[in-house]
Amino acid sequence: MKKMYFVIAAFLLTATGFSQGTITGSVVDGDFGDPLPGANITVQGTTNGVAADFDGNFTIEVSQSSGTLVISYIGFISKKVNFTAAGNIAAITLQPDAQELEGVVIVGSGIIDLAEDRQTPIAVSTIKAREIREKTGNWDLPELLKSTPSVQNVKGGAFGDGQMFLRGFDQTNTAFLLNGQPINGMEDGKMYWSNWSGVLDIANAVQVQRGLGSSKLAISSVGGTVNIVTKTLDKREGGFFQTMLGNDNYIKTTGYYSTGLMDNGLSVAAMLGHWQGDGYVNNTGGQGQTYFLSFGYVPNENNIFNFILTGAPQWHAAAGSDDLRTFLDNGRKYNSWNTANVNSPNTLNGGAYPGGRNIYHKPVANLSWDLTFNDTASLSTVLYGSIGRGSFAQLITSSGEALYARGSNNNHNWGGLVTNFNKQINENLNFNFGADVRLYNGIHFRDVREFIGVNSVSNTSNYNGGAYELTNAYGGINPWNITFNPNDDHSQRFGYDYEERINYAGVFGQLEYSKGAFSTFFQGSASTQSHIREEFLSAANEGQSEESEKVNNPGFNVKAGVAYNLSEQNTVFANAGYYSRQPYHSDLYVDDRNSNELNPLATENQKITGLEGGYKFMGDILSANLNVYYTIWDNRIQYSSDDTNDDNIVDEYTQTSPLKQVHSGVELELFVRPTDGLNFQGFVSIGNWEYDGNVTTTTSDDNGNILSTGDPSYIDGVKIGQAAQFTAGISGDYEILPRFKVDANWNLYDNLYGSTQFGDSEFSTANNRGAIKLPSYDTMDAGLSYRMLVGKENNRSLQFRLNINNVFDEVYLESSSDNTHVEPGDDVWNGVNTDNRVRFGYGRTWNINMRYNF
């Protein structure tokens, strides 16, 4: 063993000792001639790489007398430059990609973990700035990603209520990062896109890393990782003003201005927007604002600081699901939430008061610092924090009379820090080490958001001294008022009232080796997470809350991979990983809303195993990615809820004993550029996602009372629902004339199954027929863009964009929460029993916008 250590040490010392010389140069933007700070320069076949400084200049040590430099910058086409001797080389010009980023400095690059930062490949797709700007329209992020392999968006029926599925896993099992900062909910991993409606206004790229991904953080994402990269420091002064109109009275106006980097090293940018609309589904109107502030400072070439504050306060009415027959009778825009005509300033356009309304504001701030020690060592750190204030306001009625809007509040205070040190040990070996710390306080209660037909609500609890009256509607339904006038008064809460404190600390590291055609990496992380739940409303004594025992859960993950370049154009790779993931806070308690009692079934970590392999072909005209994957998700507790009275109010909750899922599949992605101005992209994803083994279930009512326990659910081999297991798509764009472009994309969805509701009678016998299969469907979207130059300056332009989604107005079922099979004599539509509770997809929608860039 000592000899082995000696050999390794000798190898490292020897490798660092070789040096043939120094190459210096610069990297510039092909459109404007501006420098590209942060561009990556790597010696091909090695991990030896540097980043260009703020002026686009770079210096790299090489240990060979000749070779090839690979220059890349996100949003630009990579370039290879041969060198035959040390010294200066001419300025290297990168041309913008078909969907280029605007001239921006990526701060926190050591944390963001883009796939391009690692030699060993992964399964990845990147959506860049121009495509984000053109195709987002009035949609959320999941809709933008639907033309990438193994991704499906379920729209949810109302603004911001969409759900994204990646390789069959929902959003709670996909890690979402904002400039490297984790943004999934700390309690349950959920994502609410209504809280992030402004993020695409400031996004420069969105990268979907399927499967194991390249993130070094101690996050155990099952389906993959989605990294959103936003604006930080602009090189040039400029901005834009944009206005958009869309179907169902949608209107959005946004303005942005940046000083660019000034002579004193400061850069300031700001964005402000407002949107409103009636919603595609009946009575789902909403409105909100988006804002973004960025303060950057570059005191010298070794330090970059950036502070960002962003948020999207909003409210929107909810869309309810219903049985298929009801939709067929009333149309796919039907909304099963009851509404009321009341005397209130908070009605929708048309006078109806919504049966359910989401109100929320989640401002997020972060401070990033990039420190470059020298050409081989750097440190990136981000300190972040957010608060969340808001609720779901449900209209409470009695005998047809509207009484008040009951708020189910989910507030939080969240702070954290991520830091990563990067060291280029030698031209073949690169090392990263960092830490991830998160502190979270969740605050949950019910209260009154608005009094309508009554002036008070009566309740009783020991904590509040017996009977008491609720007479104050703190903040109402305005997200700004809720932020600055929150309900901090326990005597004005009812239903449930509790808090939790979740503290998380993790360390991570990565070692990557690359030489010639071969590269390999090893990644590992370890973390610990603690939970304390504090009960107020159901506490035994007046004014004395009750805390649960502290729960500590350690976790870890390891990942490793290898890649081999068969030639300059052909690469094969394989990656493997194992996660021991802590249960979410919501899994730990028998009744998360009403009791401190721990759930004995959820004390052990979930076990996740991922295997994947791939082949990449990079040609001048044709590029292709082929990926295969096999993922096991074991020892997890599944929760499901049910609306047994069909009134859009959940009244039963079911949890399972530990269960197991197996997801496997193959993905093919093609990119074709036959001529300048013409681009095609296509993909096919074939999945096989099933439950492995049977479970038992426990069902409780809305108050935590056990209704049944130990009931078997025979789900072995049952297909996992909610996302199509076969998807395919073709998209293309063509620049007919300079700056005049048309584009279209077609998507096909098949092998889509109903959602498994554990405890349903459908799965109570071993010979059940499994999940129902919904009809396949396809949709076509199209767009038209024109950019008109204004004046003599290239950066001044007037841009017009038209989007039409679901051009042919396809009628399709997007999801089913039931699995009622067809029996003789049943009412059936397209092979589906009309008793199933379903949701239809959107019909034809459109938006048109005009944007002035300056």
Side-chain angles (χ1 to χ4, degrees):
M1 184 62 72
K2 291 182 178 179
K3 290 182 179 180
M4 181 181 294
Y5 291 151
F6 177 80
V7 170
I8 294 173
F11 168 77
L12 294 178
L13 291 171
T14 303
T16 55
F18 287 106
S19 180
Q20 290 290 338
T22 302
I23 296 175
T24 59
S26 62
V27 186
V28 297
D29 177 343
D31 269 359
F32 303 104
D34 290 338
L36 293 178
N40 294 314
I41 300 92
T42 306
V43 179
Q44 184 171 295
T46 74
T47 64
N48 182 22
V50 297
D53 65 18
F54 206 78
D55 296 314
N57 300 319
F58 69 88
T59 300
I60 186 169
E61 302 290 336
V62 295
S63 62
Q64 58 218 66
S65 59
S66 63
T68 302
L69 296 179
V70 180
I71 299 90
S72 62
Y73 190 75
I74 187 168
F76 288 76
I77 300 172
S78 298
K79 191 172 187 178
K80 295 182 179 179
V81 177
N82 295 326
F83 66 87
T84 56
N88 297 326
I89 60 176
I92 301 167
T93 301
L94 297 186
Q95 296 299 326
D97 203 338
Q99 300 92 17
E100 97 283 2
L101 289 178
E102 298 163 36
V104 104
V105 182
I106 298 177
V107 182
S109 57
I111 292 171
I112 292 177
D113 287 333
L114 297 172
E116 293 83 353
D117 298 331
R118 199 173 70 191
Q119 296 292 315
T120 310
I122 58 173
V124 64
S125 300
T126 302
I127 311 297
K128 297 174 183 172
R130 181 175 292 174
E131 186 173 355
I132 295 171
R133 186 167 61 236
E134 291 179 346
K135 294 187 177 182
T136 298
N138 48 359
W139 296 110
D140 301 313
L141 176 63
E143 179 71 11
L144 187 67
L145 304 179
K146 70 180 183 182
S147 291
T148 57
S150 296
V151 172
Q152 184 174 358
N153 172 41
V154 176
K155 297 180 182 65
F159 291 112
D161 286 349
Q163 290 281 318
M164 192 189 95
F165 293 85
L166 182 54
R167 288 185 174 174
F169 298 103
D170 66 14
Q171 294 178 160
T172 65
N173 298 295
T174 298
F176 292 89
L177 306 174
L178 180 67
N179 293 334
Q181 167 192 334
I183 58 176
N184 292 75
M186 282 284 287
E187 302 166 30
D188 50 20
K190 292 182 178 180
M191 285 290 296
Y192 297 95
W193 292 109
S194 54
N195 299 336
W196 304 96
S197 61
V199 73
L200 293 180
D201 292 325
I202 54 172
N204 278 302
V206 177
Q207 188 169 88
V208 182
Q209 301 174 7
R210 299 182 295 278
L212 297 171
S214 66
S215 176
K216 296 183 287 289
L217 296 186
I219 52 174
S220 302
S221 56
V222 186
T225 304
V226 177
N227 217 325
I228 305 166
V229 183
T230 71
K231 290 177 177 291
T232 49
L233 276 72
D234 291 306
K235 283 289 293 181
R236 297 186 302 272
E237 180 184 10
F240 68 83
F241 179 81
Q242 176 174 296
T243 186
M244 178 189 303
L245 301 175
N247 56 278
D248 299 289
N249 296 317
Y250 183 85
I251 183 170
K252 180 179 180 179
T253 304
T254 309
Y256 173 82
Y257 171 72
S258 172
T259 65
L261 187 65
M262 297 181 287
D263 292 339
N264 59 6
L266 293 174
S267 174
V268 181
M271 182 203 73
L272 183 64
H274 176 85
W275 66 268
Q276 63 186 55
D278 293 341
Y280 178 80
V281 174
N282 296 337
N283 296 315
T284 56
Q287 65 176 356
Q289 295 77 44
T290 59
Y291 60 86
F292 169 79
L293 291 171
S294 172
F295 299 92
Y297 180 51
V298 186
N300 51 56
E301 63 181 13
N302 294 329
N303 292 274
I304 302 178
F305 298 91
N306 188 234
F307 173 79
I308 289 176
L309 174 66
T310 186
Q314 59 80 40
W315 67 261
H316 69 270
S321 61
D322 213 316
D323 63 77
L324 176 54
R325 172 43 57 193
T326 301
F327 276 107
L328 295 175
D329 291 341
N330 295 278
R332 55 182 160 174
K333 288 192 171 188
Y334 170 74
N335 188 351
S336 58
W337 273 104
N338 293 323
T339 60
N341 293 316
V342 300
N343 183 19
S344 168
N346 299 314
T347 58
L348 301 173
N349 186 17
Y353 196 96
R357 184 190 327 234
N358 177 288
I359 313 143
Y360 216 81
H361 184 198
K362 180 184 172 70
V364 177
N366 67 53
L367 175 63
S368 301
W369 176 27
D370 280 358
L371 171 62
T372 302
F373 297 105
N374 52 49
D375 292 339
T376 65
S378 62
L379 178 70
S380 290
T381 303
V382 59
L383 178 68
Y384 62 87
S386 73
I387 63 170
R389 298 292 184 268
S391 70
F392 184 83
Q394 179 180 330
L395 181 65
I396 303 300
T397 63
S398 177
S399 302
E401 180 185 359
L403 302 180
Y404 60 94
R406 184 187 70 187
S408 298
N409 295 262
N410 295 290
N411 301 341
H412 72 254
N413 304 305
W414 186 355
L417 179 142
V418 182
T419 185
N420 178 59
F421 173 73
N422 178 59
K423 173 65 178 177
Q424 186 72 43
I425 298 175
N426 59 46
E427 69 173 21
N428 302 114
L429 201 60
N430 181 271
F431 174 69
N432 284 270
F433 180 78
D436 174 12
V437 177
R438 309 172 211 173
L439 307 175
Y440 181 89
N441 169 219
I443 307 162
H444 309 276
F445 56 90
R446 279 180 172 165
D447 65 0
V448 176
R449 290 289 99 202
E450 182 177 5
F451 293 101
I452 301 173
V454 296
N455 295 318
S456 65
V457 174
S458 301
N459 197 54
T460 182
S461 78
N462 290 336
Y463 181 83
N464 287 312
Y468 63 101
E469 296 288 317
L470 284 80
T471 58
N472 198 327
Y474 288 92
I477 61 99
N478 185 305
W480 290 101
N481 290 344
I482 292 177
T483 304
F484 297 107
N485 184 29
N487 181 358
D488 295 326
D489 185 354
H490 292 284
S491 70
Q492 293 296 295
R493 301 176 179 181
F494 72 127
Y496 54 83
D497 183 8
Y498 68 96
E499 296 187 15
E500 72 260 336
R501 296 188 297 278
I502 307 172
N503 295 333
Y504 177 98
V507 294
F508 54 86
Q510 175 180 286
L511 189 67
E512 184 174 23
Y513 173 79
S514 178
K515 185 173 184 180
F518 175 78
S519 66
T520 185
F521 80 95
F522 176 81
Q523 237 174 259
S525 70
S527 61
T528 182
Q529 187 165 280
S530 67
H531 304 261
I532 294 178
R533 185 186 184 282
E534 185 175 9
E535 174 64 30
F536 293 92
L537 190 68
S538 299
N541 299 313
E542 182 177 355
Q544 298 180 22
S545 63
E546 297 174 352
E547 286 191 356
S548 69
E549 61 179 285
K550 187 175 183 179
V551 179
N552 289 287
N553 297 107
F556 69 91
N557 65 54
V558 290
K559 294 189 282 187
V562 295
Y564 187 76
N565 297 324
L566 303 172
S567 66
E568 188 171 314
Q569 294 181 316
N570 297 273
T571 301
V572 293
F573 68 91
N575 300 316
Y578 178 81
Y579 302 152
S580 177
R581 185 172 90 168
Q582 298 103 325
Y584 283 122
H585 181 89
S586 57
D587 296 340
L588 289 174
Y589 299 91
V590 172
D591 179 13
D592 182 48
R593 295 186 303 170
N594 296 286
S595 171
N596 287 341
E597 182 183 355
L598 289 173
N599 181 0
L601 297 176
T603 56
E604 296 185 6
N605 284 6
Q606 300 172 12
K607 302 171 183 177
I608 303 157
T609 303
L611 303 171
E612 59 189 28
Y615 164 74
K616 298 174 72 71
F617 173 77
M618 300 294 292
D620 295 331
I621 297 177
L622 172 68
S623 298
N625 300 316
L626 177 65
N627 304 294
V628 295
Y629 64 91
Y630 185 83
T631 304
I632 300 172
W633 187 15
D634 199 1
N635 203 46
R636 62 176 289 250
I637 303 297
Q638 173 69 34
Y639 287 86
S640 60
S641 57
D642 195 12
D643 170 17
T644 61
N645 296 320
D646 292 336
D647 57 2
N648 286 307
I649 301 174
V650 171
D651 47 36
E652 282 191 4
Y653 298 85
T654 301
Q655 69 169 7
T656 70
S657 59
L659 60 80
K660 180 179 180 181
Q661 291 178 210
V662 178
H663 294 230
S664 60
V666 59
E667 302 158 341
L668 174 64
E669 194 172 20
L670 299 172
F671 303 88
V672 184
R673 293 182 177 181
T675 63
D676 289 342
L678 179 62
N679 301 282
F680 292 103
Q681 178 179 341
F683 74 91
V684 175
S685 302
I686 304 171
N688 183 36
W689 314 326
E690 297 180 342
Y691 293 104
D692 185 354
N694 300 314
V695 296
T696 59
T697 63
T698 299
T699 302
S700 59
D701 63 19
D702 190 42
N703 296 315
N705 300 311
I706 301 298
L707 302 178
S708 65
T709 186
D711 299 326
S713 273
Y714 296 95
I715 59 169
D716 184 33
V718 170
K719 297 292 186 180
I720 294 169
Q722 296 185 286
Q725 302 199 19
F726 177 90
T727 58
I730 300 173
S731 60
D733 60 80
Y734 179 53
E735 190 172 12
I736 302 173
L737 297 169
R739 303 179 304 281
F740 181 66
K741 186 180 72 171
V742 294
D743 57 80
N745 62 278
W746 170 82
N747 290 86
L748 170 66
Y749 304 90
D750 199 3
N751 295 343
L752 174 61
Y753 298 90
S755 174
T756 305
Q757 297 291 332
F758 300 98
D760 279 1
S761 58
E762 182 63 41
F763 304 109
S764 62
T765 59
N767 59 349
N768 67 77
R769 290 185 283 173
I772 65 169
K773 185 177 180 181
L774 302 180
S776 63
Y777 66 93
D778 63 286
T779 61
M780 171 76 80
D781 302 335
L784 183 69
S785 298
Y786 176 65
R787 184 168 67 96
M788 179 176 65
L789 300 181
V790 179
K792 297 181 180 180
E793 300 181 46
N794 286 340
N795 62 334
R796 293 183 182 272
S797 63
L798 192 61
Q799 185 168 343
F800 301 89
R801 173 71 184 182
L802 169 67
N803 290 305
I804 302 177
N805 295 86
N806 195 0
V807 173
F808 301 112
D809 204 25
E810 175 87 357
V811 178
Y812 62 95
L813 290 177
E814 194 172 55
S815 63
S816 172
S817 57
D818 293 333
N819 285 289
T820 303
H821 288 269
V822 174
E823 302 292 348
D826 285 347
D827 185 24
V828 177
W829 181 83
N830 284 1
V832 179
N833 191 315
T834 59
D835 287 338
N836 284 290
R837 199 172 182 87
V838 301
R839 190 183 299 281
F840 275 89
Y842 285 14
R844 184 186 300 112
T845 60
W846 60 272
N847 61 77
I848 185 169
N849 72 72
M850 181 179 68
R851 173 175 169 136
Y852 175 62
N853 303 295
F854 60 90

